[in-house]
Amino acid sequence: MSVTQAPPGETQQQETVRGPRPSVGSALRSAELDLRTLGMVGLLIVIWIGFHFMSGGTFLTPRNLWNLSVQFAPVAIMSTGMVLVIVSRNIDLSVGSMLGAVGMAIAVLQAEILPDILGFGHPAIWLIAVGAALVLGGLIGLLQGLIVAYVGVPSFIVTLGGLLVWRGVTWWITAGRTVAPMDSTFQLLGGGSRGSLGEVGSWAVGVLACIGIVAILLYDRRQRIRYGFKLRPTWAMIAIAVVGSAAVLGAVWVMNSYYLPENVAMQVAEQQGIPWPEGGLRIPMGISYPVLIAIGVMLLMSFVANQRRFGRYIYSIGGNPEAAVLSGINTRWTIAKTFMTMGMLVGVAAAVTVARLNAATSGLGTLAELYVIAAAVIGGTSLAGGVGTIPGAVLGALVMQSLQSGMVLMNVDAPLQDIVVGIVLVIAVAVDVYYRKRAAQ
Amino acid sequence: MSDRTPLVDMRNIHVSYGGVHAVEDVSIDLYPGEVLALVGGNGAGKSTLIKTLSGAVVPDSGEIHINGERVEITNPRDAKQYGIETIYQTLALAENLDTPGNMFLGRELTTRFGNLDDSAMEDAARKVMKRLNPKFENFKIPVARLSGGQRQAIAIARAVHFNARILIMDEPTAALGPAETEQVANLIRSLKSEGIGIILISHDIHDVFDLADRISVMLQGRLVGTVNKDDVTMDEVLAMIIIGKMPGEVTQDELEELRG
Ligand SMILES: Nc1ncnc2c1ncn2[C@@H]1O[C@H](COP(=O)(O)OP(=O)(O)O)[C@@H](O)[C@H]1O
Ligand SMILES: [Mg+2]
């Protein structure tokens, strides 16, 4: 964002003369890039470099980035749903407690109920647990959504109640007892040393993503030619393809630069009958399953938000609820479905979190609502409704997790971490309010 | 005209909000190719009355007949099925959506997989707007950033695009300059010649006399009466609007007073 900033004298002149905007800005506009998202990427880079120097060079290492990516996944997954909830002029304060309740329920299911029925380590256990997480989360979300939409209780109150209720349920399921360990296949969902794609799989995903970027650009171009609309400049298309592919392949490279811990590598070598070499065996981790799930969720939710009627209706309700009704949209059912979607995403996040911790505790998911809402808001979702993007929220989740990981690396005390996160959230909203006011003028 | 079946026949419509009788026992009708002007002071109940036809308000009692058949219109979807399109006084636009998004809201064009076909919607929006506002270009930005006239054009384009048989226009030129107002007047004439029935709510008595075939006047929720434009003078219509008296009932003194 520093590129568009001019010295004070020049700014004044520009305001009075109203000359053409700086060329960088207009170039980005003609490339149809979202300035706000680019600004977020810039902010992220600043945070990363800042922490790298302040932590004595430990932040930008494959090890830290890999761990950061795994920890970021549950918040990222839930933030994609929170965007839609906030866009529809609602809020969901219950997601942390819901994560606790759903997580505890599926932990008990797979650790204490299913082994008795199916036998310990049965291959279907993980699937049933994940299915149960989706269904339970969806039902809780739907229940809250129905109360908001059809009874007319404000979502702030319904989900504030939910925050207490589902936290209580989390405790009540096992009377506060911690449940562990999880099914061994289920554990893979949480990442860890075996829950990753490995080197070849990660490169394959990376290459597929690059092909996807190019394919989307070409499809968009074909549609524009078909209807005779203005085309994106060729330089912009090439730049987007090159920068996008470089970012994807760079991320894969970083993930592949983190290796299995020596003891796990030894086990793998033993299993596969490879003799243990002199200098040790370096087996790349690659993209972890939680990250893969988060990316999949982001793509799916972006598609729903932009390409499906459901998403369009959510945005229209946020923009003008009366207009949505007059257009014949069933706004109540749309709101109920939005909360249900949020609940299902909480179910996904619960599965990933429980798998990573390999346990469920009564405190599972505490304060997650704060991180999820913060991610959405930092990512450009307006609390006034109607405005917000899914990729923005995922970037917001990355910012939040980077702040937290960075502070941990710098040995900042936990209470001080909370203070910083709280302040960042307020600043993010203040900046948002400021820019929207200016844009409205 | 009475030998033909009316396109719309609204009989004894009542609407009250809490204790306020917004519409009391009002009956109006509309024929194909006709412009019916609905006039009256602020709060007379015009918007509420047409909302019962567009499905935005469900009347407490009364009947609506379309082409001679009794119909129940309980939501905007019902109304659209009967070919009723409405340009609301508030325009009813989602400020955060772009022009095609608003034009097709609730009736999106989709691909065969059910995905939104944004290109097709933009293409259709461009074609309709060419007829209404040829200079309009900003199809991809949120309508919040457009001028009042442009937004009004979008609301009109939305109604026109879906081939209404019955078009309701609630003060469609309120935010428009003289040139744009003339464009809308031309549009009304051309739609009328296609056989579309139009209910036009307007504050501008000159517009009303310019465009309408008949004039229905409301005062404090009640219908004062409906007159043929050719049978009355502007002063007589003003007398209906302000003191609620029909041309035969009004005295010369009262007319003088209105003029002075
Ligand atoms: N949604 C509403 N709630 C309560 N009262 C309303 C509502 N809409 C209109 N009214 C009342 O109904 C009466 C008629 O209003 P309206 O139909 O808007 O009149 P007009 O369009 O002729 O100006 C007014 O007294 C107005 O205050
Ligand atoms: Mg009105």
Side-chain angles (χ1 to χ4, degrees), chain B:
Chain B
M1 276 194 181
S2 52
D3 54 329
R4 290 189 292 158
T5 329
L7 202 49
V8 179
D9 191 0
M10 302 174 74
R11 296 183 195 160
N12 311 104
I13 305 288
H14 286 258
V15 181
S16 55
Y17 293 111
V20 182
H21 293 282
V23 175
E24 265 190 283
D25 199 29
V26 173
S27 303
I28 58 171
D29 54 10
L30 175 73
Y31 288 85
E34 179 192 39
V35 176
L36 175 73
L38 186 57
V39 298
N42 262 330
K46 308 180 294 293
S47 294
T48 306
L49 178 67
I50 59 95
K51 279 182 182 169
T52 64
L53 183 57
S54 71
V57 168
V58 180
D60 299 326
S61 64
E63 291 178 10
I64 296 175
H65 299 249
I66 305 285
N67 280 331
E69 259 178 60
R70 169 99 192 253
V71 298
E72 295 291 336
I73 297 176
T74 54
N75 61 52
R77 238 173 230 288
D78 293 343
K80 285 169 187 174
Q81 256 162 25
Y82 293 116
I84 302 168
E85 292 291 331
T86 312
I87 299 154
Y88 292 98
Q89 195 169 4
T90 55
L91 302 186
L93 298 174
E95 305 285 315
N96 55 341
L97 298 186
D98 61 13
T99 300
N102 269 291
M103 268 187 59
F104 288 91
L105 189 56
R107 290 180 284 194
E108 291 76 9
L109 301 180
T110 55
T111 66
R112 72 199 118 118
F113 306 110
N115 302 326
L116 298 179
D117 194 342
D118 281 319
S119 303
M121 288 191 270
E122 184 182 339
D123 187 49
R126 282 177 186 276
K127 284 186 180 133
V128 190
M129 283 303 267
K130 207 170 260 171
R131 182 170 168 193
L132 295 172
N133 191 346
K135 275 181 260 161
F136 188 88
E137 253 311 312
N138 300 315
F139 283 89
K140 300 298 274 181
I141 64 173
V143 301
R145 307 219 317 251
L146 301 177
S147 72
Q150 288 174 324
R151 291 145 58 95
Q152 201 132 30
I154 296 167
I156 296 173
R158 170 166 62 187
V160 170
H161 174 73
F162 289 97
N163 297 323
R165 284 191 304 148
I166 300 156
L167 182 60
I168 303 168
M169 307 173 102
D170 195 348
E171 316 224 2
T173 58
L176 301 185
E180 290 161 312
T181 302
E182 188 49 35
Q183 247 162 10
V184 173
N186 284 333
L187 177 72
I188 290 175
R189 288 187 200 101
S190 108
L191 293 174
K192 174 181 152 78
S193 71
E194 291 167 22
I196 294 167
I198 299 170
I199 298 179
L200 173 67
I201 299 179
S202 176
H203 263 126
D204 189 325
I205 194 80
H206 295 282
D207 273 356
V208 168
F209 268 78
D210 191 15
L211 295 167
D213 299 300
R214 290 184 303 149
I215 303 168
S216 288
V217 181
M218 287 182 72
L219 178 65
Q220 291 171 5
R222 294 185 159 277
L223 184 74
V224 176
T226 300
V227 292
N228 286 325
K229 177 192 73 179
D230 295 333
D231 302 343
V232 291
T233 65
M234 279 192 199
D235 287 338
E236 285 170 330
V237 172
L238 284 175
M240 290 171 76
I241 294 171
I242 296 165
I243 53 179
K245 286 195 175 172
M246 291 296 282
E249 304 166 358
V250 68
T251 66
Q252 212 54 37
D253 284 352
E254 283 168 331
L255 280 179
E256 291 288 336
E257 203 166 306
L258 283 173
R259 268 191 218 115

Side-chain angles (χ1 to χ4, degrees), chain A residues 84-151:
Chain A
L84 297 188
V85 170
I86 297 178
V87 162
S88 77
R89 298 193 178 189
N90 286 292
I91 192 83
D92 193 337
L93 301 174
S94 71
V95 295
S97 298
M98 255 166 82
L99 190 149
V102 173
M104 184 60 88
I106 62 167
V108 169
L109 182 70
Q110 68 182 285
E112 298 175 3
I113 299 175
L114 290 177
D116 288 346
I117 304 171
L118 299 173
F120 186 77
H122 191 281
I125 288 180
W126 78 275
L127 259 180
I128 297 174
V130 171
L134 283 171
V135 171
L136 276 178
L139 285 177
I140 294 176
L142 179 63
L143 173 68
Q144 296 188 147
L146 289 174
I147 297 173
V148 171
Y150 289 92
V151 185

